[in-house]
Amino acid sequence: MEIILRAVLLLILLYIGLVNGQIYDVLEFGAKGDGITDDSEAFMEAWKAMCGCDGTPKTLLIPSNSTFLLQPLVFQGPCKSPFVLVRINGEIVAPINKDAWSNYKSLRWIHFKEITGLTIIGSGTINGRGSSFWKPKLSASKRPTQLHFQKCINLMIIGITSVNSPKNHISINQCENVNIKRIKLVAPHDSPNTDGIDISRSSDVNIFDSKIGTGDDCVAINNGSVNIKITRINCGPGHGISVGSLGRDGEESVVENVQVIDCTFNRTDNGARIKTWPNGKGYAKNIVFKGIKLTETQNPIIINQKYVDKGRLDVEESAVAISNVTFTDICGTSRGDEIVKLDCSEVTYCKDIVLEHIDISTVDGKKPLVECTNVYGKSSNASEIEGCFTG
Ligand SMILES: *[C@@H]1O[C@H](CO)[C@@H](O)[C@H](O)[C@H]1NC(C)=O
Ligand SMILES: *[C@@H]1O[C@H](CO)[C@@H](O)[C@H](O)[C@H]1NC(C)=O
Ligand SMILES: *[C@@H]1O[C@H](CO)[C@@H](O)[C@H](O)[C@H]1NC(C)=O
Ligand SMILES: *[C@@H]1O[C@H](CO)[C@@H](O)[C@H](O)[C@H]1NC(C)=O
Ligand SMILES: *[C@@H]1O[C@H](CO)[C@@H](O)[C@H](O)[C@H]1NC(C)=O
């Protein structure tokens, strides 16, 4: 009992950042915080000191009322302490434009790598000042990700705001056991390829109670994502929440156990979406979209297995097989007349697709349309959807 009480006390102290001598304030490592001086070196010094020191939990403090300019940085683990906390209360900004980056070709601005027990928390803002990457339109593959988490285990991201990323705001890659809550991701509705959160090759990722409006996918669930739960996300403007795109260039992709629950979509291009490239391999299965509220969504429910970015649809020889997908309790308004469009592969078909309690009306008052190709499944309480299924 006493041990538990002590552990709780320690966690509370850690939470409010009071553990004596365990706070590594970047200002004490020479950061200026004037928004003009490059503070990268001070951040690296503070990180190395914290990460290399073992024992009790540690906090890297990025204090409020200051703006820190950072060039691309790698916060490398593993750290000696099993818990490291990065408290962002102030503002972090990227170089003023693309030309001022020391190396934007690193493709990552702030990169956390191979850290166990990392928590990023705070009321601060991370601003990638990405507009010079958006225009003139630079191919997405040449633009950096704002916050890249790679091979992190037991990761938490809480409270922070990320704005104007050059490409996607957050990548979760090869991570395990991730909790993201109460964050805010913001970019203009017309900024290109600025996804909110991209997940790949990661398991047990929970994202909840957050607001994502970035002009592209709010969350994209990519290859190797297993046990993903997305709850109470307010999405828009953007492209909705998407599984995929999967199976590009004939790749083998696997996604399984995905739940998207109690999310709202405000004026997004898509709502619940699964997209795969023709001629991929692997599967996407056990997926639930439930309790979705739509406001003027263009394509509320969509599976697209002929996803091609730049118009080159070959003969279809294989596909990422889609099965056991449930769309339930989906209501609201659609800007398009087609409220359901399930365009599945003629090689694999979509199997065990369930549509129930679908109540979507069109903005212009026209009769909602449903289009399904190569789909096996069933519907209930969604009368207009009968006839969608092949068998
Ligand atoms: C930050 O600035 C505000 C307003 O100027 C002030 O009230 C607050 O105490 C400052 N906080 C810190 C940590 O300096
Ligand atoms: C897809 O993810 C799996 C599981 O993480 C991985 O083994 C595989 O290499 C990935 N495939 C591609 C094409 O990246
Ligand atoms: C949708 O977003 C608009 C601004 O783009 C806002 O005015 C409106 O209140 C939002 N609607 C809902 C239902 O959240
Ligand atoms: C279908 O998916 C649901 C939820 O994702 C899961 O609980 C169920 O076991 C799956 N069914 C099969 C037959 O795998
Ligand atoms: C259909 O919806 C009505 C009212 O919303 C409910 O009473 C009924 O149980 C539902 N039927 C099925 C098969 O879910």
Side-chain angles (χ1 to χ4, degrees), residues 29-210:
F29 286 80
K32 288 280 181 292
D34 59 9
I36 296 162
T37 311
D38 177 2
D39 286 327
S40 305
E41 211 179 299
F43 273 61
M44 279 296 95
E45 290 302 318
W47 173 260
K48 280 182 194 148
M50 176 178 90
C51 190
C53 186
D54 54 9
T56 50
K58 306 276 182 287
T59 299
L60 180 78
L61 177 65
I62 294 139
S64 57
N65 293 355
S66 295
T67 301
F68 301 92
L69 186 143
L70 298 183
Q71 291 285 355
L73 284 185
V74 182
F75 293 91
Q76 175 75 54
C79 294
K80 288 198 172 159
S81 167
F83 303 103
V84 288
L85 194 140
V86 175
R87 176 171 287 282
I88 304 177
N89 289 342
E91 190 177 6
I92 294 176
V93 297
I96 188 77
N97 60 34
K98 183 159 80 52
D99 297 329
W101 281 59
S102 61
N103 179 18
Y104 70 81
K105 289 179 180 143
S106 67
L107 301 182
R108 283 141 197 182
W109 178 31
I110 300 177
H111 184 175
F112 292 94
K113 193 173 177 189
E114 295 165 356
I115 306 162
T116 297
L118 170 65
T119 296
I120 309 244
I121 189 169
S123 55
T125 297
I126 296 163
N127 185 347
R129 306 206 275 198
S131 61
S132 63
F133 288 92
W134 308 332
K135 49 183 175 171
K137 211 168 163 186
L138 187 72
S139 139
S141 63
K142 298 207 172 85
R143 292 192 259 133
T145 294
Q146 187 119 303
L147 296 165
H148 188 88
F149 296 90
Q150 184 182 15
K151 296 187 178 168
C152 290
I153 300 174
N154 302 339
L155 168 67
M156 292 211 266
I157 306 172
I158 305 168
I160 58 165
T161 298
S162 169
V163 304
N164 295 347
S165 55
K167 194 171 66 171
N168 60 322
H169 287 257
I170 295 179
S171 290
I172 303 292
N173 176 252
Q174 300 174 77
C175 294
E176 288 167 40
N177 193 18
V178 178
N179 282 286
I180 300 177
K181 61 180 172 183
R182 295 196 308 273
I183 65 164
K184 218 167 127 187
L185 308 180
V186 191
H189 71 95
D190 54 355
S191 57
N193 302 96
T194 48
D195 284 356
I197 303 175
D198 288 339
I199 305 168
S200 58
R201 301 181 65 183
S202 296
S203 58
D204 300 294
V205 179
N206 293 301
I207 304 171
F208 46 103
D209 297 318
S210 294

Side-chain angles (χ1 to χ4, degrees), residues 348-367:
T348 56
Y349 281 59
C350 291
K351 293 176 182 147
D352 299 315
I353 307 300
V354 177
L355 289 160
E356 58 188 14
H357 307 286
I358 309 291
D359 182 9
I360 303 169
S361 57
T362 63
V363 171
D364 62 13
K366 289 201 186 133
K367 185 179 185 304

